[in-house]
Amino acid sequence: MNILVNLNDDVIKKYKLNSDECLFLSWLINFYNSGYGRYIRENDKSYIWLTYNKIIDDLKSLNCGKRQLARMISRLVNVGLIERIVKSRNKLYICPNYDRLDNNEFESQKCLTAEDLVEINGMQVGQKSQPIIKYNKNYIKILINNERVCELDENYFLETIKDKLNGKLCKVAFDCIFHISSVHLIADKMIILRVGCVTLVQNNEEIFKQAILDTIRELTSKKA
C-alpha cells in the first residue's frame, strides 16, 4: 500500500507535526480509506480497529516503539487531528478528524455568517429557490432559502442526492465526488457536505444544484 498522502502544509505548521506524526497520519488516512480494516460505529462515526503491532509492522521507518507510539497518538488526539476509542490495553479504534486535517474553515461553523445572510436575503423563497454553493477544500456549503432545510435527515439527504446524480454524471466523476462523502452539518437554510473532489462539483455545478433542489423538494414534501 502506498502510505504517502499530501498533508495540508498549514496543518503541519499549525500543529507542529514532526516527521513521525506526518508519516503516521499519512498511513492512517490511506488505511482508513482502503476498506481493508475492521470498523466499529460509535457516535455516528466509523472507527478503524488498530493495534500498536500493526502500525509498527506497516511503518518500518517509524522511529519509535510502542510506548512512544502511544504518546504520539495521545498528542494527535489532544490536538484534535484524530479521535480514539480504547477497548483494551493493546486494542484501539481510531477515526481521522478530516475537518482539522483539511484545515476546513467550516469546521466549527454551526450557523450562517453575515455574508451568508446577505446572500440568502437576495434569494427567492421556498422550494423553487436556486441554491448557492460555496467551496472550501473538500467541503461545499449549500445555501438555500427554505425554512424546512433544518428538518432534513442527514443520511436520507446524502443518499437521495446520490440517487439523483447517479447516471447524470459520468461514473468516474460520480465515484470521485462520493467515494468519501458525508453530511458535515444541516442547519437553518444551510447544508455542508464533505465530498471527494470539489473541482468536479464545480465543473458540474448546474447539475448539482438541480439535484439539490429536487432532493430538498422531495424530502420536505414527505414531511408535509
Side-chain angles (χ1 to χ4, degrees):
M1 182 191 297
N2 176 20
I3 63 170
L4 296 179
V5 298
N6 291 324
L7 294 177
N8 187 293
D9 287 339
D10 292 334
V11 170
I12 293 173
K13 293 175 184 176
K14 181 178 180 179
Y15 297 102
K16 299 178 181 178
L17 300 177
N18 61 36
S19 58
D20 279 348
E21 290 168 336
C22 289
L23 181 62
F24 170 73
L25 287 170
S26 294
W27 172 85
L28 175 64
I29 293 167
N30 216 319
F31 185 51
Y32 184 88
N33 293 326
S34 71
Y36 293 121
R38 291 172 58 184
Y39 302 84
I40 62 170
R41 192 77 177 166
E42 296 274 351
N43 302 320
D44 294 325
K45 295 178 183 178
S46 293
Y47 293 78
I48 194 165
W49 174 39
L50 295 173
T51 64
Y52 296 120
N53 285 335
K54 165 67 176 173
I55 297 168
I56 292 171
D57 287 346
D58 275 17
L59 296 175
K60 302 295 186 187
S61 57
L62 197 64
N63 189 30
C64 62
K66 290 183 183 180
R67 188 170 297 177
Q68 293 86 354
L69 178 58
R71 284 200 293 265
M72 182 181 73
I73 290 174
S74 292
R75 191 184 96 80
L76 296 174
V77 170
N78 290 337
V79 299
L81 290 174
I82 61 175
E83 298 179 36
R84 173 184 58 184
I85 297 174
V86 179
K87 292 290 186 179
S88 70
R89 183 176 179 181
N90 293 314
K91 186 186 297 184
L92 63 154
Y93 293 84
I94 291 177
C95 175
N97 183 343
Y98 286 108
D99 292 332
R100 295 243 173 133
L101 287 164
D102 291 338
N103 202 28
N104 171 33
E105 73 178 43
F106 303 145
E107 177 193 350
S108 60
Q109 183 174 319
K110 299 299 181 184
C111 59
L112 297 164
T113 66
E115 179 185 331
D116 294 337
L117 289 169
V118 170
E119 293 184 274
I120 283 177
N121 287 336
M123 297 167 66
Q124 183 180 351
V125 179
Q127 290 188 343
K128 295 183 179 180
S129 174
Q130 193 71 8
I132 293 172
I133 301 179
K134 297 184 176 184
Y135 303 92
N136 170 247
K137 298 180 174 65
N138 288 333
Y139 292 81
I140 62 172
K141 179 196 286 185
I142 301 160
L143 304 178
I144 189 157
N145 200 0
N146 185 323
E147 298 288 350
R148 302 194 63 190
V149 165
C150 62
E151 302 173 11
L152 298 178
D153 178 89
E154 295 179 359
N155 293 326
Y156 283 145
F157 179 83
L158 183 60
E159 291 308 310
T160 304
I161 199 169
K162 287 166 68 175
D163 288 343
K164 301 289 184 191
L165 289 167
N166 193 11
K168 293 184 179 177
L169 301 174
C170 73
K171 187 176 187 306
V172 172
F174 182 89
D175 289 345
C176 287
I177 291 170
F178 290 110
H179 79 286
I180 301 175
S181 60
S182 61
V183 177
H184 176 65
L185 177 69
I186 291 182
D188 183 29
K189 301 181 182 180
M190 176 177 67
I191 300 168
I192 297 177
L193 291 182
R194 171 178 167 79
V195 295
C197 182
V198 161
T199 301
L200 287 172
V201 176
Q202 290 176 295
N203 292 345
N204 296 276
E205 185 172 288
E206 293 308 311
I207 297 173
F208 216 90
K209 282 183 177 181
Q210 189 59 51
I212 291 167
L213 203 57
D214 292 343
T215 296
I216 292 173
R217 185 183 298 126
E218 178 180 324
L219 295 182
T220 55
S221 64
K222 287 180 179 179
K223 290 177 173 290

